[in-house]
Amino acid sequence: MAAGCVSEKHVEDFLERMGTTYPEPRVLESARRKFWYREDLDRAMDLGVDAVPRLGKKFRAMMAEKTAARNAPHGAGVRRP
C-alpha cells in the first residue's frame, strides 16, 4: 500500500528506493510486514511542505487548476441567444 501512496507501479521499485528516495518503515512486524506513516511518505514527496519547490508544489498547483476549472461556471463569458 505504501508503494501505491507514492504512485509507484511496482512494489519492487518502491523497495529499491527505500532508504534513499523513500524513508525506512517506522514499524517492522516481520520481514514481510512493514508499515510507513503517510506523513513520512508525503514528506519524502514534498507534499504539504512549501520550503523546497519540488514535486509537491507542482502537484498542488495542478490540483488547484483542476479544482478551479471544475468550479468555474460552464460557458462563463459566452452569451447564447
Side-chain angles (χ1 to χ4, degrees), residues 5 8 18 29-31 43 51 56 59 61 64 71-72:
C5 285
E8 286 286 350
M18 186 176 65
E29 284 192 0
S30 68
R43 194 174 306 114
F59 177 77
N71 292 336

Side-chain angles (χ1 to χ4, degrees), residues 6 21-23 26 37-49 52 54-56 60:
V6 294
T21 304
Y22 304 121
R26 284 237 199 147
Y37 284 18
R38 182 176 293 256
E39 294 83 20
D40 294 343
L41 297 173
D42 287 348
R43 194 174 306 114
M45 293 179 57
D46 192 34
L47 295 175
V49 179
V52 181
R54 290 183 12 206
L55 174 65
R60 287 189 305 273

Side-chain angles (χ1 to χ4, degrees), residues 67-78 80:
T67 301
R70 185 174 51 238
N71 292 336
H74 293 290
V78 177
R80 294 187 181 166

